């Protein structure tokens, strides 16, 4: 570590901390510039930017992990690159070449290396790439210019008291429209989720469950995470729908369940009226890896899976395996880890 920072690693939360450098690249006249590391954490943009008026922006989230031997590694950044480009295509923004995307992430991590938490603290360096439409434009059309930026912040482990189940409630609101932007990581999806989340939180739940917008019969997402369930006959099942954000964590768990734990896996319909088929359930995403689901409340009834207090054995194995891969303690599949050198 090149420099000491005064951070209590064991008490880090998930909140903004200004680190030393961020990467900024601008798109103009048909191409991206080379991009550079800057110290200023303020962006100056036109008041007429499409990001401000028409929601033309998208973002990603990934992490850098410090291993036992002090190395720093990224987990599947190529998948974040593919997903940000999918989001960019969906809302008419220029794509970022994969090499540029991964190089930007590596540059930011190296420049802020002293903010990568020590191994064993459970803390990580969270990396936030984003693209916004900027420039002078007031018509409802794609922006004349764009900014691609990557910044990072050290964050604590999601579970302060260890892995513990939480309860969710089914929302009457929709997260996204059929054939809408549910499969893209755009800010509008998250803005739409703020109120339903608040409603769920006021009722004492961790977050809400969104059903499919067309029929309201199938589970789609759990707050800002993907759902999975373990059936009585040991199958790993997760919903499939074009309006679900394709979670990199979920696809990693699908692979781990099959290749590491020898389970059958399936992407398909998860009917809200047929939760009895699952002995365990969870939500998965970059922040928490896995959030075990104790129970789901639907139409006034709380359906409890394995337990409201204990984590199910398969959920625990999935969590330990993926966590181990990310921190370098379990052998990773080919191509999953990019070392920051």
């Amino acid at each position: 570590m090149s420099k000491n920072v005064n951070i209590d690693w064991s008490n880090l939360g998930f909140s903004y901390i200004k680190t030393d450098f961020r990467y900024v690249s601008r798109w103009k006249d048909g191409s991206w510039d080379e991009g550079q590391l800057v110290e200023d954490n303020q962006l100056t943009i036109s008041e007429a930017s499409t990001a401000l008026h028409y929601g033309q922006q998208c973002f990603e989230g990934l992490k850098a992990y410090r291993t036992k031997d002090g190395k720093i590694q990224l987990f599947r950044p190529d998948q974040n690159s593919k997903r940000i480009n999918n989001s960019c295509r969906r809302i008419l923004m220029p794509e970022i070449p994969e090499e540029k995307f991964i190089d930007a992430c590596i540059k930011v991590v190296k420049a802020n290396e002293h903010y990568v938490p020590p191994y064993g603290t459970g803390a990580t360096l969270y990396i936030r790439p984003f693209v916004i439409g900027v420039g002078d434009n007031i018509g409802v059309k794609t922006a004349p210019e764009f900014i691609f930026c990557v910044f990072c912040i050290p964050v604590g482990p999601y579970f302060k008291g260890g892995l513990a189940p939480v309860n969710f409630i089914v929302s009457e609101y929709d997260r996204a429209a059929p054939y809408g932007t549910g499969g893209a990581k755009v800010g509008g999806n998250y803005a739409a989720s703020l109120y339903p989340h608040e409603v769920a939180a006021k009722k004492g739940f961790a977050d809400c469950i969104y059903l499919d917008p067309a029929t309201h019969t199938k589970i789609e997402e759990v707050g800002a995470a993907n759902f999975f369930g373990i059936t009585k006959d040991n199958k790993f099942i997760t919903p499939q729908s074009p309006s679900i954000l394709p979670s990199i964590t979920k696809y990693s768990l699908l692979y781990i369940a099959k290749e590491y734990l020898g389970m059958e896996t399936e992407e398909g319909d998860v009917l809200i009226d047929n939760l009895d088929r699952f002995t365990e359930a969870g939500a998965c995403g970059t922040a928490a890896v896995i959030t075990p689901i104790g129970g789901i409340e639907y139409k006034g009834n709380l359906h409890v899976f394995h337990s409201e207090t204990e984590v199910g054995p398969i959920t625990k194995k999935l969590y330990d395996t993926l966590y181990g891969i990310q921190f370098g303690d379990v052998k990773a599949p080919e191509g999953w880890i990019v070392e920051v050198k």
Side-chain angles (χ1 to χ4, degrees):
M1 287 202 201
S2 53
K3 166 180 156 188
N4 287 324
V5 290
N6 187 23
I7 290 176
D8 181 356
W9 302 112
S10 57
N11 285 310
L12 267 178
F14 197 94
S15 55
Y16 182 80
I17 293 171
K18 183 180 183 284
T19 50
D20 295 344
F21 293 97
R22 63 276 312 127
Y23 172 96
V24 179
S25 179
R26 294 173 186 271
W27 186 94
K28 194 176 179 180
D29 301 327
S31 64
W32 291 105
D33 66 15
E34 275 190 26
Q36 60 180 334
L37 291 171
V38 299
E39 292 185 52
D40 189 359
N41 69 336
Q42 303 295 313
L43 290 174
T44 301
I45 62 173
S46 167
E47 62 189 357
S49 293
T50 57
L52 300 177
H53 301 275
Y54 307 127
Q56 196 179 29
Q57 58 85 252
C58 65
F59 67 99
E60 273 302 320
L62 64 157
K63 288 177 174 178
Y65 307 81
R66 196 177 288 281
T67 64
K68 196 179 280 182
D69 56 6
K71 290 178 185 165
I72 300 170
Q73 56 188 38
L74 304 180
F75 178 74
R76 307 192 76 181
D78 60 317
Q79 299 303 305
N80 293 95
S81 170
K82 287 178 174 63
R83 194 168 66 179
I84 203 169
N85 283 333
N86 179 55
S87 299
C88 284
R89 281 192 299 273
R90 180 63 181 81
I91 57 171
L92 284 185
M93 298 200 295
E95 293 181 40
I96 302 145
E98 185 173 299
E99 190 180 328
K100 182 181 180 74
F101 178 90
I102 295 175
D103 179 60
C105 292
I106 288 172
K107 278 190 168 88
V108 168
V109 174
K110 280 174 77 171
N112 297 288
E113 183 184 347
H114 40 284
Y115 286 100
V116 182
Y119 173 85
T121 60
T124 51
L125 188 74
Y126 182 81
I127 305 161
R128 170 55 60 86
F130 64 92
V131 184
I132 57 173
V134 297
D136 298 329
N137 173 63
I138 204 63
V140 183
K141 60 187 179 191
T142 190
E145 299 173 27
F146 297 87
I147 293 174
F148 166 49
C149 180
V150 183
F151 68 90
C152 65
I153 51 170
V155 297
Y158 195 84
F159 301 108
K160 292 295 183 203
L163 203 60
V166 290
N167 292 343
F168 294 84
I169 186 170
V170 174
S171 178
E172 61 191 34
Y173 293 94
D174 291 330
R175 178 185 156 271
Y179 308 104
T181 56
K185 200 167 174 66
V186 295
N189 296 343
Y190 294 81
S193 75
L194 296 175
Y195 180 72
H197 169 78
E198 187 179 69
V199 170
K202 280 181 176 171
K203 290 178 179 173
F205 293 91
D207 208 335
C208 53
I209 301 241
Y210 295 104
L211 301 180
D212 71 294
T215 71
H216 280 207
T217 59
K218 298 173 276 194
I219 289 179
E220 286 216 330
E221 289 211 14
V222 186
N226 279 193
F227 176 90
F228 72 86
I230 310 299
T231 63
K232 291 170 180 170
D233 57 353
N234 210 34
K235 260 191 202 165
F236 179 100
I237 295 183
T238 185
Q240 190 169 38
S241 159
S243 45
I244 295 174
L245 181 75
S247 163
I248 293 157
T249 306
K250 178 184 83 172
Y251 285 109
S252 302
L253 289 173
L254 274 163
Y255 184 91
I256 287 165
K258 188 177 182 182
E259 302 298 332
Y260 285 65
L261 306 187
M263 299 171 69
E264 268 189 73
T265 60
E266 181 188 311
E267 281 187 273
D269 291 344
V270 176
L271 297 172
I272 190 65
D273 286 330
N274 193 17
L275 296 178
D276 284 341
R277 66 196 287 223
F278 299 113
T279 56
E280 298 178 36
C284 56
T286 298
V289 184
I290 289 174
T291 302
I293 298 176
I296 293 175
E297 183 170 301
Y298 179 55
K299 292 183 175 173
N301 297 313
L302 182 70
H303 179 93
V304 176
F305 296 97
H306 177 75
S307 159
E308 286 185 80
T309 54
E310 301 292 319
V311 182
I314 306 294
T315 301
K316 181 80 167 70
K317 270 187 203 168
L318 288 165
Y319 178 86
D320 287 346
T321 307
L322 182 51
Y323 188 88
I325 289 169
Q326 291 172 332
F327 280 98
D329 297 327
V330 173
K331 186 170 168 51
E334 188 71 33
W336 278 24
I337 297 299
V338 172
E339 193 180 331
V340 176
K341 291 179 179 173

